[in-house]
Amino acid sequence: MSHHIIDLVDLSKDFDGEEALKNINLYIRNGEFLTLLGPSGCGKTTMLRLIAGFESPSSGKVYIDGVDVTNVPAYKRKVNTVFQKYALFPHLNVYDNVAFGLKLKKVDKKVIDRKVREMLEMVDLKGFENRSVDALSGGQQQRVAIARALANEPEVLLLDEPLGALDLKLRKEMQIELKRMQQQLGITFVYVTHDQEEALTMSDTIVVMRKGVIQQIGTPIDIYNEPKNAFVADFIGESNILPGVMVEDYFVEFAGQGFNCVDKGFSPNEAVDVVIRPEDIKLVPPADSPLTGVVKSVVFMGVHYEMQIDAGAYTFLVHSTGKAEEGSHVGLSFFPDDIHIMRKDTGE
Amino acid sequence: MKRKYFATPYLVWLIVLIVAPMILIMYYAFTGQADGAFTLDNIRTALDPVYMKVFLRSLELALVSTVICLLLGYPIAYFLSRMSPRKAAILSMLFIVPMWMNFLLRTYAWMNLLDTNGLINQMLVALGLGRAKLMNTTGAVVVGMVYNYLPFMILPIYNILQKMPKSNIEAAQDLGGTNFQVFTRVVFPLSLPGVISGITMVFIPCITTFAISRLLGGSQFMLYGDLIENQFLSVGQVNGGWNVGAALSCIMMVLVFICMAITNHIDKGEENGGTLL
């Protein structure tokens, strides 16, 4: 984790007046696994394409390894891309797909051969050299796409929702494998996804985006535990988000009750968003908590039960390994540091 | 009523208009005019060097026209595929609309243009370059064929280029391909099925044409299509013209079939990862 491999400076991009990215400033450290996370249309893919060189920015600069590459075409950049739908060349077999980049560079045949075999071994496709890419399964095509991009020995690998088309089990396996490859090769991965779980399991750094603006940059733990605003809290895992009033430092009112909390620095009686994670809420006998409600639904989720509890002003989502009976009256309890206070979202 | 009966009209159509005429051609090609008995005489006559020479000339002109169509059609299709869909739709109409006109009418128009006193010669004279003999030349026939069949080359190539996923091109750029390399290594190989179908759709009508060579090449300019027409209409049934004409048609079918098989074979070779380029 040393110098910056990529710097984006005041980067903006609009398509026919539609702003896809607004004034982005971001650096990516050499060797890290960075994920651009956000809902569709948040500009994450546009950012990746600007780094790859498939689009040019409306304003701002892209630096790779400290060099301004804003006007450098894609084929001259030291980055390679794994495309969403793999974009393998259907007229070439597995071997020639992986060798494509090296052949263009007129690398010695023996070197190409060694490199291609090494790559195919890494992605576990030894013996598939002469197969047609159309005859491969989705997961295998994915591996070929990764091998093809890595054969060029890029300094940065860009991945555009590469696991989107795979089924859940395969996706989990590939997540682990991608992380392993990244650590083994020691190169930078920039990964685009809308799947928060994927982002949390693989990344060193997560960049949460919305409507072309970066919402928060941080480690998975930071982002999960200390979301900066209601949008991030809602996007990263499930959340209870309630309107509240910050009466004074360390004291907040919501759902018709006052609670002690650990936040300060708001103006007196400032309207805020209050976020409580469903797994941070404990069910207690009604007499033990000022906040009570009626259990409206109980769904078994495997490890835990997901329950909706109607507390009058707000229906809380609660995850708990203990089950409450539907229709029963329960108390809701949480610690002061489980209450996350956020300034009202201005929509930006 | 069972579903399969819906195909009945199509089957009837197929039998009456395609299978029956083919059987008749075979019948005439392999029977004598006088007795209707089986004979190879017609085929022997049709393979006469005089006739084969006409076939070779037809083949040569068809090849030249097809190559010119490809050289003109590919770049046009390529640029159309790069345009916004709206612009491309308007421009491709320019190629399609002339096809709505009758084929003979279009060829007559060229007769007027190429005539000794036609528009082109008038311009040449006005420029002080003197008259040129344009009509009744090989060039005129090739121009006529290229003009008439060019859209059949453009459309299949345009179709396949336009449907080609952009990510394939981006992947090639991403892996270090210059624009030229991207074209030769990815775009062109992937567009080959369109090229093959364009070649087929231009080559076959070119090699069988008789009207264009008659109108633009003059009566002395005989192609294989003229030969067959001549046998049927001028020599006539009583003199065995139908039988020789049918035999000529059979030979043409076989030769065209061989040409197409070769083209398809080249196409397959590409798909299997061969590098013809």
Side-chain angles (χ1 to χ4, degrees), chain A residues 8 54 65 67 80 92 159 174 201-202 223 236 285 291 313 316:
Chain A
L8 306 178
F54 301 137
D65 228 351
V67 181
N80 284 114
L92 301 177
L159 303 104
M174 282 304 291
T201 40
M202 290 195 284
I223 300 252
I236 306 284
L291 189 63
F316 284 87

Side-chain angles (χ1 to χ4, degrees), chain B residues 13-238:
Chain B
W13 178 275
L14 206 70
I15 290 166
V16 171
L17 294 172
I18 297 176
V19 179
M22 291 281 276
I23 292 170
L24 281 176
I25 287 173
M26 292 293 178
Y27 170 76
Y28 279 108
F30 291 99
T31 56
Q33 193 276 325
D35 50 5
F38 178 80
T39 173
L40 288 174
D41 283 353
N42 305 318
I43 300 290
R44 221 166 282 140
T45 314
L47 284 171
D48 189 278
V50 181
Y51 291 149
M52 286 320 286
K53 240 177 100 180
V54 177
F55 178 78
L56 286 179
R57 192 193 299 149
S58 290
L59 183 68
E60 186 194 336
L61 280 183
L63 282 175
V64 168
S65 304
T66 308
V67 168
I68 294 174
C69 278
L70 181 61
L71 292 179
L72 287 175
Y74 200 103
I76 293 171
Y78 184 79
F79 287 114
L80 279 177
S81 73
R82 285 297 180 98
M83 288 174 185
S84 70
R86 248 194 76 226
K87 270 191 198 161
I90 293 168
L91 269 170
S92 54
M93 282 306 274
L94 288 179
F95 298 105
I96 294 168
V97 168
M99 297 206 297
W100 295 350
M101 263 190 305
N102 184 280
F103 162 81
L104 285 174
L105 217 61
R106 278 178 280 155
T107 310
Y108 277 123
W110 272 105
M111 285 174 76
N112 270 313
L113 286 173
L114 298 174
D115 195 67
T116 326
N117 296 311
L119 198 66
I120 294 174
N121 264 323
Q122 283 177 24
M123 275 162 62
L124 287 177
V125 170
L127 289 168
L129 294 167
R131 276 175 215 285
K133 181 180 158 54
L134 298 173
M135 272 297 286
N136 303 342
T137 59
T138 315
V141 178
V142 170
V143 165
M145 290 206 221
V146 169
Y147 178 76
N148 275 306
Y149 301 125
L150 184 60
F152 296 103
M153 183 65 83
I154 295 173
L155 291 177
I157 298 176
Y158 167 66
N159 231 337
I160 202 158
L161 285 175
Q162 197 229 350
K163 282 192 199 129
M164 193 177 294
K166 225 182 142 201
S167 58
N168 270 329
I169 294 162
E170 285 178 349
Q173 290 172 337
D174 185 74
L175 293 164
T178 60
N179 286 343
F180 179 73
Q181 285 173 321
V182 172
F183 180 79
T184 55
R185 309 249 177 158
V186 175
V187 177
F188 187 72
L190 286 180
S191 69
L192 271 181
V195 172
I196 298 297
S197 100
I199 288 175
T200 313
M201 285 169 72
V202 171
F203 179 74
I204 291 180
C206 275
I207 201 167
T208 53
T209 188
F210 57 94
I212 293 175
S213 55
R214 167 96 55 75
L215 295 174
L216 296 174
S219 51
Q220 81 282 15
F221 210 101
M222 188 168 271
L223 293 184
Y224 210 72
D226 301 291
L227 202 63
I228 296 170
E229 189 209 18
N230 202 30
Q231 286 292 335
F232 275 92
L233 297 185
S234 304
V235 178
Q237 191 184 6
V238 280

Side-chain angles (χ1 to χ4, degrees), chain A residues 3 33 35 45 75 102 126 236 245 271 283 285 318 333 344:
Chain A
H3 70 290
F33 195 124
T35 300
T45 296
Y75 73 89
L102 298 171
K126 217 174 153 189
I236 306 284
V245 174
L283 298 183
V318 177
S333 159
K344 273 283 180 197

Side-chain angles (χ1 to χ4, degrees), chain A residues 210 215 228-231 241-246 266 269-274 340-348:
Chain A
R210 181 200 190 186
Q215 302 292 311
K228 261 196 187 146
N229 57 36
F231 172 79
I241 303 173
L242 307 81
V245 174
M246 198 71 186
F266 294 84
N269 293 316
E270 183 178 337
V272 292
D273 282 321
V274 177
H340 306 287
I341 311 290
M342 280 146 214
R343 291 210 153 74
K344 273 283 180 197
D345 192 11
T346 55
E348 278 300 297

Side-chain angles (χ1 to χ4, degrees), chain A residues 14-35:
Chain A
D14 54 62
F15 296 103
D16 302 322
E18 195 86 25
E19 273 191 300
L21 282 181
K22 293 174 200 163
N23 214 30
I24 297 288
N25 282 288
L26 175 71
Y27 64 82
I28 300 172
R29 283 187 295 257
N30 194 19
E32 76 174 326
F33 195 124
L34 180 133
T35 300

